[in-house]
Structures are given as C-alpha cells and as structure tokens.
Amino acid sequence: MNTETFTRTIAVKDYMKRFRDAERFIGLCRQCGNYGKRWGCPPFDHDPTDRLGRYSTAEIIVTTIHPDRSGIPISEGAKIMRPVRERLERELLAREALTGGLAFTFVGECLNCPSGSCTRPQGLPCRHPDKVRPSLEAYGFDLGRTLKELFGMELLWGTDGTLPRYLTLVCALFH
C-alpha cells in the first residue's frame, strides 16, 4: 500500500463561499444514524459559521491510499485507512496546537474510544475532547466538489462490494 498527500491553501472566506452548503450537507448528516450520537458529529453546541469566521486560512489536505491489490471488500476499508488516519490526526492536532487553529479530521467512527462506546448518547462529556474534531462534512463542506475543483481529483466509491482503486481522506487545518 502506498499513499500520496496533496495540500492546497485557500482563504477561509473563499472556501466557505465556494464549497460550503451547510443546509444540504447537514441535512445529509441528519439522515445518518450517527447524527447526535458521536462527539464529532452535528448538532454542535456552537455555531459552526461563527467558529469558521475566526480563521483566515484553510489548508485542505488530501491523502490517497492505494491498496496493493484490487478486489478488496468494502468491509476492509476502515482497517486499511486506520493507520493513515491515526498518523494524520496526530499531525493535525500538533499543528493545531502550534497555530491556534482548528483541525478537521474524518467522517466515520472516532478512533479514540472503542467502537460503540461514545459517551454522547448517554449525555456524558467526551472522554477525549482534546482529540475529537469534526469532519469538514459535519460543518457543511462539499468534499466531492473540493476534490474536483481544488485538486483535479474524483471522489471514488466502491462498486460491487469492493473498494475503489484508491481511498481518499480529506482533512484540514484552519488558522
């Protein structure tokens, strides 16, 4: 397996204007079974638009993961992405601390607690608020459009129960 990473910098105002459709994407979040059940998912206890307005620069980071072989079942996707996610999340949080910015990690299951053990459904505080960050989608950003227009890439989806030829992780640091 090999990975490639690409970065583009854009003004937060421009990124919000061109790539954010909060009504549409938060609407999609509402249809997900994790809505309101994970600390990285909406609804949030703050206004995302206000929070985004604190920053001037967005660094959008795309990592593609190219599996060693084709025909891998979709069920293996999370396992393949996990070590890359762990590395990227550590790097993002370190850069967030240095810049006073806000990191955006990945949609899906949080890597900080065992599967199914998030405290949010019980109304308890997050065990790892220093590590959990929202995804760009959770703040209403269109990643398909981001990939196409900023990186010239297509967001690929699995077909016939198998992974696409590469997996794509999109994260960001706003500062």
Side-chain angles (χ1 to χ4, degrees):
M1 170 179 75
N2 68 17
T3 62
E4 292 180 281
T5 300
F6 310 91
T7 303
R8 298 289 182 273
T9 301
I10 185 171
V12 169
K13 278 195 258 183
D14 292 341
Y15 190 57
M16 289 175 67
K17 183 177 180 179
R18 289 177 54 197
F19 299 99
R20 188 167 186 244
D21 185 348
E23 188 174 313
R24 177 177 169 219
F25 286 92
I26 303 306
L28 292 171
C29 285
R30 282 188 195 97
Q31 296 174 32
C32 175
N34 294 321
Y35 183 80
K37 294 181 181 172
R38 293 184 179 164
W39 284 111
C41 295
F44 298 108
D45 63 356
H46 58 272
D47 180 353
T49 302
D50 287 345
R51 182 170 277 180
L52 291 169
R54 297 178 193 168
Y55 307 102
S56 60
T57 303
E59 291 178 52
I60 313 301
I61 304 150
V62 172
T63 301
T64 57
I65 303 168
H66 303 266
D68 294 329
R69 60 185 169 83
S70 61
I72 299 172
I74 286 176
S75 60
E76 296 294 311
K79 180 180 171 184
I80 290 170
M81 289 187 289
R82 186 176 182 105
V84 179
R85 279 187 59 186
E86 288 173 344
R87 177 182 56 80
L88 291 170
E89 288 182 19
R90 275 192 312 273
E91 291 171 4
L92 276 170
L93 290 175
R95 290 195 56 221
E96 178 190 80
L98 288 173
T99 63
L102 175 63
F104 288 87
T105 56
F106 309 101
V107 74
E109 192 148 24
C110 172
L111 301 180
N112 302 298
C113 292
S115 182
S117 69
C118 183
T119 57
R120 190 170 181 183
Q122 292 82 40
L124 299 172
C126 178
R127 292 182 195 102
H128 303 283
D130 57 322
K131 296 178 183 175
V132 173
R133 297 297 181 274
S135 65
L136 287 165
E137 300 97 319
Y139 267 42
F141 289 100
D142 183 337
L143 297 191
R145 189 166 173 211
T146 295
L147 283 168
K148 186 172 189 157
E149 293 184 22
L150 292 182
F151 296 89
M153 300 170 71
E154 292 293 324
L155 183 60
L156 301 181
W157 299 95
T159 56
D160 300 322
T162 62
L163 293 175
R165 70 180 185 273
Y166 62 85
L167 302 169
T168 308
L169 296 173
V170 183
C171 56
L173 178 66
F174 284 40
H175 55 88

